Amino acid sequence: MTGRTILAVGGHIGDMDLAAGPLLAQNVCDGGRSVLLALTPGERGHPRLGVAEYKEQKITEARTFAAGIGAEVIVYDDLSDGFLHCTDDVAARLARDIRTIRPDLLLAHWGRSIHTDHEQASLLAERARFLAGLPGWEEDPGAADGPGRRHGVGQLLYTENWEDTDGFLATRYTAVSQRARDLWLEAIGCQAFARGETYGFRYIDYYDAQLITRGCLAGVSHAVALAEGGHGLREV
């Protein structure tokens, strides 16, 4: 699962940075292309900053994090934290980005969560994947390849997020090298919420410990856990 184009779609800035960041960093280290796409900025998560101010800060943090692991980032900054819905318009917008990026692997939230934005983001990823590969949907028949041409994403996998644990069963483990872990740790430190400066949750400690725990189960130093739609075999 290395050296490919991977697109990670999260409900907010920071979701995939934490849950998929080490894997995305590893993919870049292996010569692949990694893209983070946040469906909202996650601008309502700060108890002291106003929404507009925190939105600007979050977008800056997203760009800094992506640069730190060698990834690209897209933020739908016109959609609002807490009000994400799987509409035809948003699904179509995401499908167009999928056709432009042309990922081999799509990462999404597990479909059951304590956060409705995460559930909607999961539905959007699934719907957009379908539309992006649908013949005749907004397709430019004259294009041999490129943004207007349909793209079937070969694989959709779900990430492990502490808010999305209901029914999550890891079916794949992807090894993460020390270099990729170090890149991720340094980069994620730029995000205020991840440092525990919003509500005090120790996000970085939690996800770093998860890397070690999953590594123990996979027989490697560090690993990220992923789930398929059904049950599958473990893969390192």
Side-chain angles (χ1 to χ4, degrees):
M1 198 183 298
T2 56
R4 300 191 287 173
T5 297
I6 301 177
L7 172 62
V9 177
H12 319 93
I13 292 169
D15 288 335
M16 289 295 158
D17 312 50
L18 286 165
L23 185 156
L24 298 175
Q26 185 64 58
N27 186 57
V28 172
C29 288
D30 292 333
R33 178 190 182 196
S34 295
V35 184
L36 290 146
L37 193 152
L39 294 166
T40 77
E43 72 277 12
R44 300 182 191 278
H46 203 294
R48 295 176 298 279
L49 297 181
V51 170
E53 183 180 359
Y54 192 43
K55 177 180 178 179
E56 183 178 348
Q57 178 177 314
K58 289 281 284 185
I59 292 171
T60 298
E61 290 173 345
R63 293 169 178 161
T64 302
F65 173 81
I69 65 167
E72 303 163 42
V73 64
I74 299 169
V75 181
Y76 290 0
D77 59 4
D78 57 325
L79 300 183
S80 185
D81 180 10
F83 297 90
L84 185 64
H85 297 286
C86 184
T87 65
D88 287 343
D89 286 346
V90 179
R93 180 178 179 180
L94 180 55
R96 294 183 196 107
D97 278 329
I98 288 174
R99 285 187 171 185
T100 299
I101 297 164
R102 309 186 77 77
D104 304 296
L105 169 63
L106 180 63
L107 299 177
H109 286 282
W110 183 245
R112 282 170 283 178
S113 176
I114 63 174
H115 200 314
T116 57
D117 280 356
H118 291 194
E119 294 180 339
Q120 295 299 303
S122 184
L123 291 171
L124 281 163
E126 293 166 357
R127 177 64 176 166
R129 181 196 187 199
F130 171 77
L131 290 176
L134 187 65
W137 180 79
E138 295 191 358
E139 190 172 351
D140 177 5
D145 198 6
R149 198 70 171 168
R150 74 184 184 96
H151 177 70
V153 181
Q155 194 171 38
L156 169 62
L157 296 173
Y158 302 92
T159 59
E160 187 173 26
N161 185 301
W162 80 273
E163 294 177 305
D164 309 342
T165 58
D166 185 12
F168 181 90
L169 178 63
T171 58
R172 291 171 178 261
Y173 299 127
T174 299
V176 173
S177 67
Q178 185 64 50
R179 171 167 170 72
R181 178 191 178 218
D182 290 345
L183 286 171
W184 169 75
L185 277 173
E186 183 173 357
I188 200 64
C190 77
Q191 300 198 11
F193 91 98
R195 296 193 301 266
E197 295 179 13
T198 53
Y199 294 105
F201 187 79
R202 293 161 53 197
Y203 285 97
I204 296 175
D205 287 344
Y206 180 91
Y207 284 95
D208 192 37
Q210 192 168 263
L211 275 176
I212 296 170
T213 301
R214 292 309 190 179
C216 291
L217 295 174
V220 295
S221 295
H222 304 92
V224 169
L226 299 165
E228 297 164 298
H231 297 290
L233 299 174
R234 188 176 76 178
E235 178 179 286
V236 176

